């Protein structure tokens, strides 16, 4: 069980590291207040309103109905953390957690059950027959 937990936690931590270091860009194209297209990492496709405005060949019209919104979340560049970067409460938590984790792990591996390989006791009398109680 402990090996499965370690593998699962290592995969989760690797995914968290990957997702935190990648920069995310979400682009949205709005037309008349409605979302027309959403794109991840690329530019969203427009609704074609700008092409229609150029076909009208009227420079007096401005495109007020369309809008583009972009959300950019920068990834982490510096992943080296010092123990001194944490505040005092976080340092205490890390020290207590690691010591308790290794203490529990070492005690579980050392503790052997002395009765693990012994057979169960032999029954002298059948209690169900003595009490005349049967499951139907």
């Amino acid at each position: 069980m402990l090996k499965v937990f370690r593998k699962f936690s290592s995969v989760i931590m690797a995914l968290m590291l990957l997702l935190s270091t990648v920069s995310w860009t979400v682009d949205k194209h709005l037309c008349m207040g409605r979302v027309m297209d959403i794109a991840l990492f690329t530019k969203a496709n427009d609704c074609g309103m700008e092409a229609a405005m150029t076909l009208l060949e009227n420079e007096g019209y401005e495109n007020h109905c369309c809008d583009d919104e972009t959300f950019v979340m920068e990834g982490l560049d510096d992943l080296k953390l010092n123990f001194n970067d944490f505040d005092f409460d976080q340092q205490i938590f890390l020290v207590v957690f690691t010591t308790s984790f290794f203490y529990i792990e070492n005690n579980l591996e050392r503790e052997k059950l002395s009765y693990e390989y012994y057979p169960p006791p032999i029954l002298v009398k059948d209690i169900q027959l003595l009490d005349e109680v049967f499951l139907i």
Side-chain angles (χ1 to χ4, degrees):
M1 183 70 179
L2 189 60
K3 290 181 182 179
V4 172
F5 175 72
R6 280 190 180 171
K7 287 181 182 180
F8 181 71
S9 63
S10 64
V11 167
I12 293 295
M13 285 192 293
L15 285 175
M16 286 175 52
L17 180 68
L18 176 69
L19 293 177
S20 67
T21 55
V22 173
S23 296
W24 297 86
T25 303
V26 178
D27 195 28
K28 251 191 320 190
H29 181 75
L30 302 167
C31 187
M32 294 185 178
R34 296 179 64 192
V35 177
M36 299 305 283
D37 190 27
I38 296 177
L40 187 65
F41 299 118
T42 61
K43 186 172 179 353
N45 295 332
D46 61 347
C47 60
M49 186 66 71
E50 292 178 14
M53 291 298 226
T54 57
L55 288 177
L56 288 175
E57 296 177 359
N58 192 347
E59 298 296 327
Y61 290 114
E62 290 184 18
N63 193 359
H64 292 290
C65 66
C66 290
D67 189 25
D68 289 324
E69 291 181 9
T70 303
F71 173 72
V72 177
M73 188 174 78
E74 294 293 329
L76 298 175
D77 291 334
D78 185 22
L79 294 177
K80 290 186 178 182
L81 293 176
N82 251 341
F83 190 71
N84 297 331
D85 291 342
F86 298 115
D87 61 350
F88 186 67
D89 293 335
Q90 290 174 338
Q91 289 178 0
I92 290 175
F93 174 76
L94 285 174
V95 169
V96 170
F97 179 76
T98 54
T99 55
S100 65
F101 181 76
F102 288 121
Y103 177 73
I104 290 172
E105 179 182 332
N106 289 339
N107 283 346
L108 287 177
E109 289 178 358
R110 285 188 209 158
E111 187 176 326
K112 298 287 183 183
L113 301 176
S114 60
Y115 55 85
E116 184 176 0
Y117 299 108
Y118 292 112
I122 299 172
L123 294 176
V124 179
K125 297 179 182 176
D126 194 2
I127 297 175
Q128 290 177 345
L129 287 176
L130 290 175
D131 294 337
E132 295 183 3
V133 175
F134 304 101
L135 294 176
I136 297 176

